[in-house]
Amino acid sequence: SQPKGVLDVPSAPGAGSTFDVYLAAVAPQSGQAPQAAPAEGGPGNASILVVDDEWAVTELAVQVLSELGYRVTGFTSSRAALQAFQAQPDGYDLVITDQMMPELTGDKLVRAIRVRRPDLPILLGTGYNEVMTPQGVRELGIAEVFYKPVTPERLVQLVREALEASRADPAGNGSPP
């Protein structure tokens, strides 16, 4: 079965961060370690760039998606992620980024990526108190905005849907919403 759990990282300037990890208990069968189920139709076949300034969030996304066969590169610095992208703009099939990050917010990162890859599917994670208007989402060409914390199952679902939509319409010329 797929990994199950939730990672919640409440954080406030000057107050620090609390890492709350909730994992479902899994009983190994016949002494074997539990394994993640492959993506529908086989293991993942895409290169994914994950960007979140919270190390634990990035690490969890990298782990969950890597276990499904995706090639995942994670960054906690949006500037470092942008440099890696600019060095190999055709090296990624999907970007997953947080909105609220120091140095370079998610929307600014998306705008910089769009200069080189206007067709690249992008998933944007945001907190419930952060506002991203539908018009802003459309202007940035974001495949999906999701609210954090996100479960591993939902993350996998979002990735599959974004990649499938991109493969069905590689030029990003879908019908307007």
Side-chain angles (χ1 to χ4, degrees):
S1 67
Q2 294 181 3
K4 298 184 186 303
V6 174
L7 175 65
D8 188 13
V9 187
S11 179
S17 299
T18 302
F19 294 85
D20 298 319
V21 181
Y22 304 93
L23 300 174
V26 177
Q29 298 177 355
S30 307
Q32 295 179 346
Q35 296 181 349
E40 262 179 46
N45 184 22
S47 182
I48 301 173
L49 178 63
V50 174
V51 190
D52 194 304
D53 62 317
E54 297 286 352
W55 177 86
V57 174
T58 300
E59 187 65 22
L60 182 64
V62 168
Q63 179 183 348
V64 167
L65 296 171
S66 294
E67 286 178 359
L68 294 174
Y70 294 106
R71 297 174 307 282
V72 188
T73 306
F75 286 91
T76 55
S77 163
S78 50
R79 288 202 187 278
L82 180 58
Q83 289 173 350
F85 171 81
Q86 289 173 332
Q88 287 188 304
D90 293 323
Y92 301 98
D93 300 304
L94 174 70
V95 173
I96 303 171
T97 183
D98 185 25
Q99 169 58 19
M100 293 306 295
M101 293 184 289
E103 299 179 341
L104 191 65
T105 57
D107 58 326
K108 290 179 181 173
L109 176 63
V110 171
R111 283 186 178 90
I113 287 171
R114 290 286 178 236
V115 170
R116 301 289 291 276
R117 290 283 308 277
D119 60 324
L120 186 64
I122 297 175
L123 301 173
L124 181 77
T126 185
Y128 282 102
N129 60 343
E130 300 161 12
V131 177
M132 187 60 139
T133 66
Q135 179 182 353
V137 170
R138 279 194 304 274
E139 286 174 0
L140 292 173
I142 294 171
E144 183 83 33
V145 173
F146 63 92
Y147 291 100
K148 295 169 40 176
V150 64
T151 64
E153 297 97 337
R154 178 69 177 136
L155 179 64
V156 169
Q157 178 187 15
L158 288 166
V159 165
R160 287 180 183 161
E161 289 172 356
L163 289 171
E164 286 172 11
S166 173
R167 289 174 182 142
D169 186 15
N173 295 323
S175 58

